Amino acid sequence: MAEPVAGVGRFKANYAVERKIEPFYKGGKVQLDQTGQHLFCVCGSRVNILDVASGAVLRSLEQEDQEDITAFDLSPDDEVLVTASRALLLAQWAWREGSITRLWKAIHTAPVAAMAFDPTSTLLATGGCDGAVRVWDVMRHYGTHHFRGSSGVVHLVAFHPDPARLLLFSSAADATIRVWSLQDQSCLAAMTAHYSAVTSLTFSADGHSMLSSGRDKICVFWDLRTHQATKTVPVFESVEAAVLLPEEPAPELGVKSKGLHFLTAGDQGLLRMWEAASGQCVYTQRQLPGPKQELTRCALAPSAGLLVSVTADHNLLLYEARSLQLRKQFAGYSEEVLDVRFLGPEDSHIVVASNSPSLKVFELQTMACQILHGHTDIVLALDVFRKGRLFASCAKDQSICIWRMNKAGKVACVAQGSGHTHSVGTICCSRLKETFLVTGSQDCTVKLWPIPEVLLSKGASSDSGPVLLQARATQRCHDKDINSVAVAPNDKLLATGSQDRTAKLWALPQCRLLGVFSGHRRGLWCVQFSPMDQVLATASADGTVKLWALQDFSCLKTFEGHDASVLKVAFVSRGTQLLSSGSDGLVKLWTIKSNECVKTLDAHEDKVWGLHCSRLDDRALTGASDSCVILWKDVTEEEQAEEQARREEEVVKQQELDNLLHERRYLRALGLAISLDRPHTVLTVIQAIRRDPEACEKLGATVLQLRRDQKEALLRFCVTWNTNSRHCHEAQAVLGVLLRHEAPEELLAYQGLQASLEALLPYTERHFQRLSRTLQAATFLDFLWHNMKLPPLPVAPSAL
């Protein structure tokens, strides 16, 4: 392999998470506030509050029990939010601050399934899976009513819009709508007209009429004075929600008179407008390409003039209520992310293929989302042409689509093609110019698709509909599924990777076989050409990444480190490093020259199927089966600059410390050593103080002048010193000063004091016992010495 070109840029050392696109809605109720500025939706154990303008999650509200939220409702005055959890607890929130103001037991014997405020925002009704309906006074904090009689789960509760009438409506599994009088505490009527579950109740402006919808494909108008059905409108679809519209003309929707009109949302996946008087459908939304997406929710914010509808794959669509013009789209939940790509000349957008026939395009600056429809089955792979405005997708429906993003950022399908006999699992665009693309399929073939000239002309318009693509060449390449195809930077070579454990090199455009790369023990998931050298990288289910020479098809290097299949590999740092992602949820950064894994990025919880790097090589994008898309930023230079600044600062501080010790300015020296947060440096200062002839007084005076946080740090250091017999004397000296001069109350207020004492006691006892033994031994030696002294010799008598 050729050595990397000198001076092409530094190696990368680390990436940090710059942005994370996570699921914020996994099904259930959605609600707009009265101003239309905030959208409330359920995501497991949290209620998320979205800023409609930016699409950002402003706040996530989670109850202390961390159980799934089963129901919630926002009061009509937008002040109070109440949530109910599976643990049968109700929480009242000051949602703007994100704090719980009250928590109480629901008293239901099964989870709360439905919830609604009355028009005055003082009463709250809850319908439970136990068949009971309860009413609560949220201002005075007590339960006011308990209604029994419903059979099965009460999944719908609604107050009459006139607060003076004190009526509550509920519907349960028996498809009967019951009217409860709060005044008489009784059931006034049981209204029957539906044959299956009632899905919504909505009231006319005068309060005399009510519209109910059901999964029995009918909507029913009721006279609330007689509690009788006045009109049944067959709508020919299972309706999940019906909304009564303000009695105003809306010419764009075919509404010319002022009579009652209503919208339905259901399993046809379209919003439809109906005239109440005639029962005729006066407006139907245009059918989008791709399979029908059932609408599961629909809610109106009348004062804001906005309508939100929810599709079965958790996309939230926000419309102008009067014209049904689409204003915003939000992707609530992407399920399994299969591929991701940067988009746009400046990498301003990203495109995400998830476990869905539709694609999602996000603008990175505003996080505005576009949902693209064109395929009829799950989109499996993506690739982008060099200029960044044209990109291609392939899917399980055996088709490919080419999409174009205009200067305003809007994306449209401009070409479609089909020809494979099985799922198309991989796609790669030409690298030099927008001339062709290559697809690989489960049918073991590769197809070469030339890009029609009409798409590349400047005057090309997408209004005329997608152009039909025709394959120029088809080649059977492997004996098993083709998982990856890659086009060389010069557009003259093609690499294919297959489940048959081999990669192959082909000459373009003839698709002539040049050689086979054999050596992996399991199937290949990804192949990539180096941007600088004549090298191919392959990622395999055997947990390794290999580098191969294009000249002789020999294996140059093997990178081992993933604990499971390696799903994607990409060259970074001008071909001198690799990024790999695996089914262990990890992304690894490798330096090719040293075979070393420089960094492991652990932010995903499941298989990382998608990996792509930006044009400037300063960011990376990953998408995984945990429904998360993560934008990574190269922080190598920032970290190196921070490390350099830290080292320089430490050198300066060390010099200053030496000067202070030399000048015997012990208080400043000790404070500076503590600020460096290095126990050994602080120990050096303490030892210098103790070496001073006036050691004891100096140490006490110096320690007592420290701030409280500095004393807490010193106590932590003492714990470290006390574990070593050589340094325990300094630790005990500092402890002695604190215990003698600090009041017990002040010591008890120290942060982490209990943990420090627990760590100090055993070692202190050990040191005491060791010193006691040494003292005993010394005393014994002294005793022996005194007893071993010889008596004075008697004086010899003088010679006579």
Side-chain angles (χ1 to χ4, degrees), residues 544-582:
T544 66
V545 174
K546 287 181 183 287
L547 286 186
W548 309 83
L550 298 185
Q551 291 94 339
D552 58 5
F553 310 102
S554 62
C555 180
L556 299 170
K557 285 181 182 286
T558 300
F559 301 89
E560 298 182 69
H562 284 278
D563 293 330
S565 302
V566 186
L567 303 174
K568 277 284 194 295
V569 64
F571 283 90
V572 290
S573 307
R574 302 284 297 273
T576 60
Q577 289 182 292
L578 289 170
L579 272 177
S580 64
S581 67

Side-chain angles (χ1 to χ4, degrees), residues 265-278:
D267 61 6
Q268 288 194 13
L270 304 169
L271 291 174
R272 296 193 292 165
M273 173 89 74
W274 302 81
E275 188 178 48
S278 65

Side-chain angles (χ1 to χ4, degrees), residues 76 161 252 306 346-347 368 410 424 436 445-446 448-449 490 495 512 514 534 545 582 588 597 610 689 691 727:
E252 305 99 319
L306 293 174
E346 308 295 327
D347 291 331
K410 296 294 177 192
V424 187
F436 67 90
T445 66
V446 159
L448 184 72
W449 308 79
N490 62 2
R512 177 170 51 84
L514 299 176
Q534 293 191 8
V545 174
K588 289 181 178 285
C597 177
I689 296 171
R691 280 196 298 270
H727 306 143

Side-chain angles (χ1 to χ4, degrees), residues 322-392:
R322 294 188 63 183
S323 62
L324 287 190
Q325 288 293 314
L326 185 62
R327 186 196 273 192
K328 290 268 183 182
Q329 300 178 77
F330 305 104
Y333 180 50
S334 294
E335 205 169 339
E336 192 170 4
V337 178
L338 300 178
D339 209 354
V340 287
R341 285 290 186 277
F342 282 103
L343 204 57
E346 308 295 327
D347 291 331
S348 56
H349 294 66
I350 60 172
V351 56
V352 178
S354 58
N355 209 7
S356 161
S358 56
L359 291 169
K360 300 174 183 75
V361 175
F362 296 91
E363 186 181 0
L364 287 175
Q365 194 171 355
T366 63
M367 292 316 291
C369 177
Q370 294 174 64
I371 296 160
L372 311 179
H373 303 275
H375 291 283
T376 58
D377 207 340
I378 293 170
V379 179
L380 296 174
L382 302 163
D383 200 23
V384 182
F385 284 96
R386 187 171 63 90
K387 291 181 181 176
R389 291 204 181 275
L390 213 60
F391 68 99

Side-chain angles (χ1 to χ4, degrees), residues 624-675:
S625 297
D626 58 5
S627 310
C628 288
V629 175
I630 297 180
L631 182 66
W632 303 87
K633 183 183 178 185
D634 177 13
V635 291
T636 306
E637 287 188 15
E638 292 172 28
E639 288 187 351
Q640 286 173 348
E642 286 173 12
E643 179 65 20
Q644 182 67 21
R646 189 182 64 78
R647 282 180 189 162
E648 289 172 3
E649 188 182 358
E650 282 194 5
V651 168
V652 170
K653 283 186 175 180
Q654 188 65 49
Q655 185 61 52
E656 188 182 349
L657 185 64
D658 293 341
N659 295 340
L660 290 169
L661 286 174
H662 183 70
E663 295 165 13
R664 297 190 177 187
R665 294 166 63 187
Y666 294 124
L667 178 63
R668 285 285 306 277
L670 193 57
L672 183 60
I674 290 170
S675 72

